[in-house]
């Protein structure tokens, strides 16, 4: 597909609303609201700040285009409007119901193990190849049930599991520790992600490279990017395989894909520290710049949970052999990591999504820079709807997943054209989107011709000829 041709086929279901001019930069750094059902955020309307003396700032600042070539307009609603639109009963959390889902997922994991361990044996199935295929299926199925349990612990971290913080953190710590996740360490950094979604200097997951960063990675000048040849599909595939196999562990150990502005850590913990292996930024060390001094005991408690699980796994491996441990736990664990990375990647990486420099970011805008997708029965039942209702989750993360569909429908009326979803193709479409996003979304840059605040709203571009082409920049005189 030629880079000059803009693909306007969009699998986004938007409800048209009356457009309103964007907010001014003076209001761009509004603090994120405290995410509880009882919060009453400011009712200041962003749309009321969008013009000066009748001047349409959208026109003055230039047209913003997403990767598909569609004009983007800044969200014009308030957090209060979002919360007020959600029925009151959607905020209600039930400990009994939450524990029931945990029991269901644990029972599913135990039942599958029992059936395979007792019946997929040489006595019942003499054929070694058939047994091998069945045990491969086992790892996939257990990976899905394990991901469902991961999601329930995620609910605990957001306090949407039950009204009891003690119960939430106890269940979350137990479930995540069993999956080798440092619960409190993740909970703290994940909370910062929610407070800064879409912020290029503060977000904690899948922060895209800017054009300058992408050029630097390739050893190129910024102006050369638009002239580069297409990235070969094999390179894209290799990158995705690495991301899906090791992305989660790499994130925990090096904060890869998170922001790298650690010098700003208020207690001075980030001085001299950068993302990357053995550079002082990880989810296990209490002195990491991801945390503050008050978090130290929680980080150690998270590490204790990992140590207990690793001890149990070591004991099982010593008694039953590493081959059995690999099939029983390690391979399903890698499937859990795969699904976690894929889900998070696709929630925050799409040709329609903006990212914001500090001058243009607000909590309202950032929370809208996410997208809902569809993964069919697996997504809605095994994975507890984390894929299908993510936009709502970024506005009100304390709503339990079993009320999220109704609440999502309610906020669509407020968000209008700013609500994004890609449900084309269902489960197959979800899987295809991993490849599509990797090919379409390589770096972010401002739309050509934008000025002022609009120049601080960045969109994905690529060198593969998909969608709006990158800007053609002149070679600096110093290089001529």
């Amino acid at each position: 597909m030629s880079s000059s041709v803009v693909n306007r086929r969009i699998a986004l279901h938007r409800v048209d609303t009356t457009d309103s001019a964007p907010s001014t930069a003076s209001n761009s750094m509004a603090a994120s609201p405290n995410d509880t059902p009882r919060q009453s955020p400011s009712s200041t309307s962003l749309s009321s700040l969008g013009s000066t003396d009748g001047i349409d700032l959208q026109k003055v600042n230039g047209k913003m285009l997403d990767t598909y070539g569609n004009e983007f307009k800044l969200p014009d609603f308030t957090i209060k409007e979002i919360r007020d639109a959600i029925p009151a009963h959607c905020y209600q959390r039930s400990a009994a119901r939450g524990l029931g889902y945990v029991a269901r997922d644990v029972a599913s994991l135990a039942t599958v193990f029992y059936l395979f361990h007792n019946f997929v044996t040489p006595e019942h199935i003499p054929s070694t190849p058939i047994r091998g295929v069945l045990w491969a299926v086992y790892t996939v199925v257990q990976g899905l049930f394990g991901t469902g349990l991961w999601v329930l612990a995620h609910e605990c971290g957001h306090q949407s599991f039950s009204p009891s913080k003690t119960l939430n953190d106890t269940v979350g710590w137990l479930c995540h520790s069993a999956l080798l996740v440092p619960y409190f360490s993740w909970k703290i950094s994940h909370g910062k992600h929610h407070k800064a979604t879409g912020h290029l200097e503060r977000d904690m997951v899948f922060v895209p490279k800017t054009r300058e960063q992408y050029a630097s990675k390739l050893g190129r000048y910024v102006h050369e990017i638009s002239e580069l040849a297409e990235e070969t599909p094999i390179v894209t595939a290799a990158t995705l395989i690495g991301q899906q196999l090791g992305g989660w562990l790499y994130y925990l150990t090096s904060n890869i894909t998170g922001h790298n502005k650690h010098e700003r850590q208020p207690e001075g913990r980030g001085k001299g520290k950068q993302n990357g292996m053995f550079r002082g930024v990880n989810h296990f060390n209490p002195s990491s710049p991801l945390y503050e001094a008050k978090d130290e005991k929680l980080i150690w408690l998270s590490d204790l949970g990992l140590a207990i699980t690793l001890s149990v796994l070591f004991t099982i491996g010593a008694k039953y052999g590493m081959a059995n441990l690999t099939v029983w736990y390690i391979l399903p664990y890698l499937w859990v990591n795969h699904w976690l990375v894929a889900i998070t990647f696709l929630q925050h990486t799409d040709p329609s999504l903006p990212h914001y420099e500090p001058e243009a970011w607000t909590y309202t805008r950032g929370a809208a820079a996410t997208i809902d997708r569809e993964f069919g029965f697996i997504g809605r039942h095994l994975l507890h709807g984390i894929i299908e209702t993510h936009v709502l989750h970024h506005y009100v993360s304390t709503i339990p997943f079993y009320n999220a569909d109704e609440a999502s429908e309610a906020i669509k009326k407020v968000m209008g054209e700013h609500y994004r979803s890609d449900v084309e193709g269902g489960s197959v479409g979800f899987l295809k989107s991993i490849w599509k996003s990797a090919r379409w979304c390589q770096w972010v840059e401002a739309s050509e011709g934008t000025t002022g605040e609009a120049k601080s709203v960045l969109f994905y571009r690529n060198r593969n000829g998909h969608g709006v082409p990158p800007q053609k920049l002149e070679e600096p005189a110093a290089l001529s």
Side-chain angles (χ1 to χ4, degrees):
M1 173 179 169
S2 171
S3 62
S4 63
V5 178
V6 177
N7 184 349
R8 295 182 179 274
R9 181 196 61 76
I10 305 178
L12 303 178
H13 302 276
R14 301 177 179 174
V15 181
D16 291 334
T17 60
T18 302
D19 296 328
S20 179
S23 65
T24 60
S26 63
N27 294 280
S28 66
M29 292 306 294
S32 60
N34 181 21
D35 201 6
T36 72
R38 295 174 296 280
Q39 174 69 16
S40 180
S42 168
S43 60
T44 302
S45 172
L46 295 175
S47 60
S48 67
L49 305 172
S51 60
T52 303
D53 297 328
I55 298 175
D56 187 340
L57 295 182
Q58 189 84 39
K59 294 180 180 179
V60 172
N61 291 338
K63 183 180 291 187
M64 296 174 285
L65 297 179
D66 68 17
T67 319
Y68 290 117
N70 294 290
E71 183 175 0
F72 175 81
K73 296 187 178 180
L74 293 164
D76 55 357
F77 50 85
T78 68
I79 298 296
K80 185 178 188 304
E81 290 173 328
I82 289 285
R83 292 178 178 272
D84 288 349
I86 299 171
H89 65 265
C90 289
Y91 292 101
Q92 295 176 3
R93 299 160 288 176
S94 168
R97 192 167 183 180
L99 289 171
Y101 280 107
V102 171
R104 188 201 76 174
D105 285 357
V106 171
S108 298
L109 287 163
T111 300
V112 171
F113 177 79
Y114 176 84
L115 292 174
F116 275 78
H117 182 64
N118 287 282
F119 297 104
V120 184
T121 63
E123 293 78 15
H124 292 87
I125 304 176
S127 171
T128 299
I130 293 177
R131 288 201 314 276
V133 170
L134 289 175
W135 277 107
V137 172
Y138 163 90
T139 68
V140 176
V141 173
Q142 293 293 72
L144 289 171
F145 285 132
T147 305
L149 192 64
W150 200 108
V151 173
L152 293 177
H154 168 267
E155 292 269 303
C156 293
H158 283 291
Q159 307 303 310
S160 59
F161 184 79
S162 81
S164 170
K165 185 176 185 299
T166 299
L167 177 63
N168 293 339
D169 286 340
T170 300
V171 173
W173 181 79
L174 289 171
C175 292
H176 264 177
S177 294
L179 296 167
L180 292 178
V181 178
Y183 172 72
F184 291 104
S185 307
W186 160 84
K187 173 185 172 181
I188 294 167
S189 67
H190 188 67
K192 293 179 179 179
H193 158 60
H194 272 257
K195 292 177 181 177
T197 306
H199 193 300
L200 283 170
E201 295 187 3
R202 289 173 48 215
D203 201 354
M204 298 297 293
V205 294
F206 284 109
V207 179
K209 291 179 176 62
T210 61
R211 179 169 177 151
E212 292 75 14
Q213 292 168 335
Y214 186 81
S216 176
K217 176 185 175 183
L218 298 180
R220 298 279 188 165
Y221 291 110
V222 174
H223 70 276
E224 295 177 324
I225 294 301
S226 60
E227 306 300 330
L228 290 178
E230 173 186 355
E231 179 179 89
T232 60
I234 194 171
V235 171
T236 305
T239 301
L240 279 176
I241 290 171
Q243 171 183 294
Q244 297 307 121
L245 280 177
W248 172 240
L249 289 174
Y250 198 19
Y251 172 70
L252 291 178
T253 54
S254 67
N255 198 47
I256 194 70
T257 81
H259 78 77
N260 204 18
K261 302 289 184 178
H262 304 297
E263 292 285 343
R264 301 176 181 177
Q265 207 277 346
E267 298 174 342
R269 292 164 166 250
K271 292 182 179 179
K273 297 180 179 179
Q274 294 183 339
N275 293 347
M277 295 296 290
F278 311 113
R279 294 185 178 181
V281 185
N282 60 66
H283 283 73
F284 309 107
N285 190 341
S287 65
S288 169
L290 301 178
Y291 310 113
E292 300 174 10
K294 63 181 177 62
D295 302 322
E296 181 174 0
K297 292 181 180 179
L298 294 175
I299 308 307
W300 286 124
L301 185 57
S302 300
D303 293 345
L304 175 62
L306 300 183
I308 293 172
T309 300
L310 287 172
S311 298
V312 172
L313 293 174
F314 178 82
T315 302
I316 293 173
K319 184 174 182 179
Y320 298 101
M322 279 302 300
N324 281 327
L325 179 63
T326 298
V327 175
W328 294 346
Y329 183 92
I330 295 176
L331 292 179
Y333 166 78
L334 292 177
W335 275 112
V336 171
N337 291 359
H338 155 72
W339 289 120
L340 171 62
V341 172
I343 290 166
T344 310
F345 175 60
L346 292 180
Q347 287 168 339
H348 300 284
T349 311
D350 186 80
S352 68
L353 296 180
H355 284 78
Y356 299 92
E357 293 182 327
E359 297 78 11
W361 183 88
T362 69
Y363 180 85
T364 306
R365 294 173 180 179
T370 57
I371 186 168
D372 289 341
R373 299 184 187 272
E374 178 63 51
F375 201 30
F377 176 85
I378 292 175
R380 293 189 174 274
H381 297 282
L382 300 187
L383 307 186
H384 307 296
I386 194 172
I387 294 168
E388 291 79 8
T389 59
H390 192 68
V391 175
L392 166 79
H393 177 67
H394 266 275
Y395 279 112
V396 193
S397 61
T398 48
I399 289 179
F401 73 90
Y402 43 80
N403 293 333
D405 279 318
E406 182 180 357
S408 291
E409 290 301 316
I411 70 169
K412 289 179 186 179
K413 301 172 185 177
V414 175
M415 295 185 69
E417 64 178 338
H418 304 294
Y419 170 79
R420 286 169 175 74
S421 70
D422 183 350
V423 299
E424 183 175 337
S427 299
V428 175
F430 174 81
L431 296 174
K432 287 183 176 179
S433 292
I434 300 175
W435 178 261
K436 178 181 179 181
S437 290
R439 296 290 289 175
W440 282 63
C441 306
Q442 294 185 309
W443 72 86
V444 292
E445 63 179 57
S447 299
E448 189 167 6
T450 52
T451 59
E453 186 182 41
K455 196 172 183 179
S456 295
V457 184
L458 279 54
F459 296 90
Y460 285 108
R461 298 293 185 258
N462 63 80
R463 53 191 262 216
N464 298 325
H466 298 306
V468 175
Q471 293 188 51
K472 293 185 179 296
L473 304 178
E474 294 184 2
E475 180 181 351
L479 300 177
S480 302

